[in-house]
Amino acid sequence: MQDKIKNINNIEELQALYTATFGKNGTMTARLKEMKNLDNEARASLNKENTMLRELFKNRQIELENQALMEGLAKQRLDASLNPEPENIGTLHPLTKSLSEISAVLESFGYKMWTGPEIEDDWHNFTALNTPDYHPARDMQDSFFLDNGNVMRTQTSAIQIRSMEKEGAPIKMFGVGATYRKEMDATHSPMFHQIEGLYIDKDITMSDLISDVKEFLKKFFEMDEVELRIRPSYFPFTEPSIEIDLKWQGGKWLEIMGAGMVHPNVLRNCNIDPDVYQGFAFGFGWDRLAMLKYGLNDIRQFYDGDIRWLRKTGF
Ligand code: DAH
């Protein structure tokens, strides 16, 4: 009997057995009715059995009720991994997606990511970059000036200066962020983004620059081979300065980035001795590289916040 109670697995069966035992016509009820005919010892034993069985029924009932409760709760539990509404999943902005790809490549080469303020002072945006007040190169960039003389950062080159001021040499970093200029058409937006690499150490040469840029473009654009064209150029903060073009589909040359060997004056401005350390810098349009890779043609759409465009181009 005891084993039978313990082995019952549902409440209805337990109830039925209880009735068959303790109900009006139950077996125990019948035995209790005959108790008066028993001797003292048998009486005591029957009483004990009666109490023990009731106890067993009660405990088994509690167990089964708890079990049923837990099963009910488990069924009701919200399964967060089930059936998400596909329409409501967000997408990555092309800039976010491209930054994760760009930084993965640069970080694998040992460059460390830096950011800096978008409102810059004259020193970091121009003067330390070898572009003093009277310098004609200031006109290369149509800047937004603030009343207090600060400027909306026109180039991420300002982050180079901050990184060298803080860490000195050797240094291998890339600066990432928004930049601002007064220009606006399908390929120019007053706010756009740049990424800038810098590598300063002993014995760094132009060929290190070209090989890093080449490997970077190969990995980012997922091309087996890349063909570059190097043209002489001018930037106040590099000497010599170059412009790097990439051979694109259909044999078309695309202007991809500006670069050069960091000007000794720039190193001196950051308390680095140019007789000991030298190196290179390169800078490119982050939006522009994303547009090329993903086949997008209007930079203004990056900033319209049009959810339909993002759904179409997003990742
Ligand atoms: N700052 C330049 C621009 O905005 C781009 C650039 C050119 C960055 C050459 C560099 C560099 O670091 O070496 O047009």
Side-chain angles (χ1 to χ4, degrees), residues 175-274:
V176 174
T179 41
Y180 301 83
R181 291 179 202 175
K182 290 183 197 162
E183 42 193 22
M184 174 89 154
D185 59 39
T187 53
H188 294 94
S189 147
M191 181 191 74
F192 57 108
H193 294 79
Q194 286 188 334
I195 290 179
E196 181 107 2
L198 174 79
Y199 184 14
I200 306 289
D201 206 333
K202 293 173 179 163
D203 308 319
I204 302 292
T205 68
M206 192 79 130
S207 78
D208 298 314
L209 162 64
I210 292 169
S211 82
D212 268 14
V213 166
K214 196 167 181 175
E215 281 309 302
F216 165 72
L217 293 173
K218 225 158 91 174
K219 294 227 160 80
F220 175 69
F221 286 116
E222 295 162 14
M223 294 164 127
D224 292 332
E225 256 323 310
V226 293
E227 212 180 312
L228 300 184
R229 191 169 69 179
I230 312 294
R231 287 180 292 115
S233 184
Y234 175 77
F235 300 100
F237 35 85
T238 42
E239 180 58 39
S241 301
I242 58 173
E243 200 84 49
I244 301 175
D245 299 341
L246 169 69
K247 196 173 206 173
W248 200 241
Q249 290 125 10
K252 205 167 99 187
W253 287 104
L254 296 178
E255 205 180 297
I256 288 284
M257 63 175 80
M261 300 306 290
V262 176
H263 197 292
N265 287 346
V266 173
L267 296 174
R268 263 181 227 115
N269 287 336
C270 300
N271 294 318
I272 294 173
D273 182 353

Side-chain angles (χ1 to χ4, degrees), residues 61-92:
Q61 184 180 351
I62 292 170
E63 275 171 24
L64 289 176
E65 279 169 359
N66 276 343
Q67 202 174 308
L69 181 70
M70 295 316 281
E71 278 166 13
L73 285 176
K75 270 192 216 131
Q76 283 171 27
R77 207 178 66 201
L78 180 71
D79 182 348
S81 70
L82 262 185
N83 193 29
E85 292 284 329
E87 293 84 1
N88 294 332
I89 296 177
T91 57
L92 287 182

Side-chain angles (χ1 to χ4, degrees), residues 11 14 56-66:
I11 298 260
L14 189 71
L56 272 181
F57 270 110
K58 210 170 91 198
N59 287 343
R60 189 64 191 146
Q61 184 180 351
I62 292 170
E63 275 171 24
L64 289 176
E65 279 169 359
N66 276 343

